[in-house]
Amino acid sequence: MKALKVGIIGFGTVGTGVYKVLQSFPNIEIKKIAVKNITKKRNIENFDTTLLTQDPYEIVNNPEIDIVIEVAGGVTPTFDILTAAIKNKKHIVTANKELLAKKGSELFQLAKENKVIILYEAAVAGGIPIIMPVKTILCANKITKIAAILNGTTNYILTKMAEKELSYETALKQAQELGYAETDPTGDVEGYDAAYKIAILSTISFNKKVDINKIYREGITKITAQDIKSAKELGYTIKLIAMGQVLENGKIDVRVHPMLVAKKHLLAKVKNATNSIMLTGYPVGDLIFTGAGAGAEPTASSVVGDLLVLASELEASDSPIPQAICNHNEIADQINIGDTYNEYYIAINASNNPGAIGVIGTICGKNNINISTIMQKGTKDDNTAEIVVITERSKEADVQNALKELLKSDCIKNIDNLLRVMN
Ligand code: HSE
């Protein structure tokens, strides 16, 4: 294989993992590594510190470098740095989901104009191969549905809440102590990270540009120990699900929110920080991809894999592999959450009055909502009752109207939670 020269931008957990894995590939020469802090001690044996620079433009402007590996993350200043790299005819391997979800269109267009390619296997689900399979061997398929667990931190928190009956706050604290969750966990727990990943995955699966700003997103911060307990009693576990589907009318439904997942469903069995993606396509049918969605080594597997694919392509020809060029010019017609249809879990706090369940039944009925299960287990010390309703498939807008109406009724104290259900 032809020797290739690369520059690495970002040298945190993933960058260091990539550096270590690359030591086994003598044909790939690391010319420079751009870091934030050049004086920081690196825990790498025989590390040549002269490789380090604090200026990423030393990489993107270096005529010797063929490929830029970007594992720094974020949009600013990374977008400008990669724009310069592409204009300088460098191929890009990136793990940056946020950048691709927000600025992918611009970067892919620029890459096309400059006849370079951007590979990004590590941006979605870390070590799980999903981008390359969808763009290559699955290209005979019409993919119509994705249901996935794409964030390890939240899956870890929800697993611990269920197994150890912890509150959200305690489970989050443990996840932070173990290094799964960051000090500011917002990106993970509010569903942003999963939304970036499903935006990228839906775009390549449905061959239509999905707008990250039109993805309905809800995190896990409102899930209570009581929700987990009620779900368990009803035969479900709660997961943060990223989903995308093509509806019969051709519109696209992409969203991220917690769901009650039936215990028999394969995604219900995915525990701790593991990620899993279910794809449905014709003619292939259902597929499931499961593995590590984060971590230095699994993510390095994807980054270095992309690099080696690119190296072997460049060996064969100076032109990029056609299937790796993004060609989705069509814009996805994304629907609003109000127009989606789901089964629902509604946790209602009601006064312990005769007729409270009747009120719930009447209001649901008036709003076209058919109740399939209703559960109340006695009353609480404050003489209220927790009533859990599972509905049949209903329109979200109808459910939201019913909740507003329920809150106007004297006997309904609060809607403690509304979650969607996957069977
Ligand atoms: N923070 C992510 C997760 C991994 O918890 O899965 C990187 O996107």
Side-chain angles (χ1 to χ4, degrees):
M1 194 184 281
K2 188 170 115 185
L4 278 179
K5 296 186 171 60
V6 303
I8 303 177
I9 298 176
F11 208 40
T13 310
V14 177
T16 309
V18 169
Y19 173 89
K20 288 182 179 167
V21 173
L22 280 180
Q23 301 312 303
S24 313
F25 295 92
N27 277 347
I28 310 281
E29 184 191 344
I30 301 171
K31 290 291 286 179
K32 273 278 166 218
I33 303 171
V35 293
K36 272 206 202 100
N37 178 1
I38 206 160
T39 56
K40 190 175 149 188
K41 179 104 190 62
R42 311 276 156 187
N43 190 19
I44 306 170
E45 242 177 79
N46 302 322
F47 182 63
D48 173 8
T49 52
T50 63
L51 286 176
L52 299 179
T53 172
Q54 279 187 203
D55 180 9
Y57 286 89
E58 267 191 41
I59 292 176
V60 304
N61 291 332
N62 183 337
E64 281 193 290
I65 289 177
D66 306 292
I67 301 172
V68 172
I69 300 172
E70 186 271 306
V71 284
V75 174
T76 312
T78 318
F79 176 74
D80 290 340
I81 296 167
L82 292 192
T83 298
I86 294 167
K87 287 184 177 162
N88 286 338
K89 316 284 181 210
K90 318 261 179 244
H91 300 287
I92 310 287
V93 173
T94 178
N96 194 335
K97 63 227 80 175
E98 182 180 3
L99 180 68
L100 293 180
K102 292 181 177 169
K103 298 278 202 181
S105 289
E106 286 165 67
L107 286 173
F108 288 116
Q109 181 56 36
L110 193 65
K112 202 169 166 183
E113 286 163 17
N114 286 277
K115 299 191 168 51
V116 295
I117 62 174
I118 304 174
L119 294 182
Y120 49 99
E121 189 59 68
V124 178
I128 304 175
I130 187 69
I131 302 297
M132 201 62 95
V134 168
K135 287 170 72 73
T136 57
I137 198 65
L138 291 171
C139 65
N141 284 271
K142 183 169 169 45
I143 297 173
T144 49
K145 189 163 183 194
I146 308 162
I149 294 171
L150 292 176
N151 183 268
T153 306
T154 46
N155 205 46
Y156 179 87
I157 294 171
L158 292 170
T159 304
K160 293 304 162 206
M161 285 177 75
E163 286 178 350
K164 304 233 161 92
E165 298 186 358
L166 302 179
S167 67
Y168 165 74
E169 289 76 15
T170 309
L172 168 63
K173 200 158 167 277
Q174 289 189 3
Q176 283 170 323
E177 281 161 6
L178 288 165
Y180 286 114
E182 295 182 33
T183 318
D184 175 1
T186 314
D188 291 316
V189 299
E190 296 293 4
Y192 290 98
D193 176 77
Y196 299 145
K197 292 167 179 169
I198 196 71
I200 296 169
L201 193 51
S202 306
T203 296
I204 61 163
S205 300
F206 307 145
N207 272 315
K208 289 181 180 174
K209 284 182 196 161
V210 169
D211 182 347
I212 181 72
N213 299 312
K214 291 186 184 156
I215 294 182
Y216 178 80
R217 176 190 50 74
E218 202 180 294
I220 63 161
T221 55
K222 294 193 190 90
I223 306 289
T224 63
Q226 181 60 50
D227 292 322
I228 303 260
K229 188 162 175 259
S230 301
K232 202 184 260 181
E233 284 171 6
L234 292 163
Y236 295 92
T237 187
I238 299 181
K239 298 285 184 194
L240 182 69
I241 300 293
M243 59 182 280
Q245 53 189 340
V246 183
L247 305 176
E248 273 175 20
N249 59 10
K251 294 193 181 197
I252 308 279
D253 172 16
V254 187
R255 41 193 157 117
V256 173
H257 49 55
M259 292 186 95
L260 269 74
V261 181
K263 288 229 166 91
K264 63 178 189 312
H265 196 289
L266 288 174
L267 290 180
K269 301 179 203 304
V270 178
K271 298 207 169 158
N272 298 314
T274 305
N275 283 195
S276 191
I277 301 152
M278 285 189 82
L279 281 188
T280 306
Y282 177 81
V284 75
D286 291 331
L287 293 173
I288 186 152
F289 301 74
T290 302
E297 288 167 0
T299 311
S301 160
S302 291
V303 171
V304 177
D306 273 348
L307 198 59
L308 297 177
V309 166
L310 193 46
S312 85
E313 282 296 317
L314 292 173
E315 171 100 346
S317 121
D318 282 338
S319 323
I321 26 180
Q323 65 266 37
I325 298 174
C326 275
N327 259 333
H328 5 271
N329 296 321
E330 213 181 312
I331 308 280
D333 185 1
Q334 288 167 251
I335 62 166
N336 294 322
I337 188 74
D339 292 326
T340 67
Y341 284 79
N342 307 276
E343 291 163 49
Y344 292 86
Y345 156 99
I346 312 171
I348 302 163
N349 186 245
S351 311
N352 181 25
N353 288 353
I357 289 187
V359 168
I360 295 170
T362 305
I363 292 177
C364 283
K366 257 175 63 188
N367 286 283
N368 315 310
I369 300 160
N370 208 0
I371 293 172
S372 63
T373 303
I374 188 157
M375 178 173 83
Q376 180 192 340
K377 296 207 161 168
T379 51
K380 299 193 199 179
D381 292 345
D382 63 358
N383 205 32
T384 65
E386 184 77 9
I387 299 169
V388 171
V389 167
I390 304 277
T391 74
E392 289 188 0
R393 205 169 122 84
S394 313
K395 189 174 182 183
E396 173 97 12
D398 288 339
V399 173
Q400 295 294 351
N401 284 337
L403 297 191
K404 277 188 211 136
E405 228 177 293
L406 280 168
L407 281 170
K408 284 187 197 143
S409 157
D410 286 344
C411 67
I412 305 300
K413 298 287 166 209
N414 194 33
I415 304 298
D416 288 339
N417 219 335
L418 172 76
L419 297 168
R420 297 153 195 94
V421 177
M422 184 158 72
N423 280 296

